[in-house]
Every structure is written in structure tokens, then in C-alpha cells.
């Protein structure tokens, strides 16, 4: 049990550092919803993933930033960027 508790912070950092992607199709065009944390280069990491997903560039459909206020309890939640992109043909 003690080993699991020691690994918990590492698992939290790994989950914060990744870019999460969901793919869908709207009107025959491929769209991706990306979520990336401000913890690891924020929007730049999302843009790099968007370029990787879309071979012929992409169009930004929407971009929002989710801000977590400081609760004063000693835990830091980095802000998250949510982007929806559409691949160009």
C-alpha cells in the first residue's frame, strides 16, 4: 500500500502532462477535440498535437481555457485548454 502512495504523485504528473484527443466526424470532415494542461507547455502542446493529427493543416473551431482557482489547501490544479480543430482537406 505504501508503494502505491509513493507512486501517486508520479501518476498525477503523467496525466497532467499528456494531450488527450477525441476524434469525430461532422458533415464529412474530421474534427478533433484536444485537451491539454497548462502544466506542460499548455496551448503549444495542443497545437503540436493538432499539426500531428492533420496532415494538411487545420482550422481552429473553438478554444476555451478552464481555470481552477486556488483553494488554499496546498494542491495546485493547472489550467486546461480545450480546443476543437477541423482538418483541412
Amino acid at each position: 500500500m505504501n508503494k502505491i502512495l509513493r507512486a501517486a504523485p508520479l501518476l498525477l504528473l503523467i496525466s497532467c502532462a499528456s494531450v488527450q484527443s477525441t476524434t469525430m466526424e461532422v458533415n464529412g470532415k474530421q474534427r478533433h477535440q484536444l485537451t491539454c494542461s497548462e502544466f506542460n507547455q499548455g496551448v503549444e502542446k495542443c497545437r503540436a498535437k493538432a499539426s500531428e493529427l492533420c496532415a494538411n493543416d487545420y482550422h481552429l473551431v473553438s478554444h476555451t481555457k478552464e481555470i481552477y482557482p486556488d483553494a488554499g489547501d496546498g494542491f495546485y490544479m493547472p489550467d486546461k485548454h480545450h480546443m476543437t480543430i477541423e482538418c483541412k482537406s
Side-chain angles (χ1 to χ4, degrees):
M1 179 68 171
N2 197 11
K3 290 181 181 181
I4 293 172
L5 291 176
R6 289 183 186 168
L10 178 60
L11 293 174
L12 180 64
L13 285 177
I14 290 170
S15 67
C16 290
S18 65
V19 175
Q20 299 171 347
S21 172
T22 305
T23 304
M24 64 188 148
E25 196 166 310
V26 177
N27 297 330
K29 294 186 178 182
Q30 195 175 36
R31 283 191 180 179
H32 301 279
Q33 291 179 327
L34 306 173
T35 301
C36 50
S37 173
E38 191 72 29
F39 182 78
N40 188 20
Q41 299 176 350
V43 77
E44 293 304 318
K45 195 79 167 174
C46 269
R47 287 182 181 146
K49 183 68 173 181
S51 294
E52 180 183 312
L53 290 170
C54 298
N56 296 326
D57 206 13
Y58 63 91
H59 168 69
L60 182 64
V61 176
S62 69
H63 177 211
T64 59
K65 184 176 179 180
E66 190 174 356
I67 299 173
Y68 298 99
D70 184 9
D73 58 3
F75 290 101
Y76 171 71
M77 271 301 271
D79 300 338
K80 288 185 180 178
H81 292 270
H82 302 283
M83 295 172 63
T84 302
I85 59 164
E86 186 173 272
C87 294
K88 293 182 179 178
S89 311

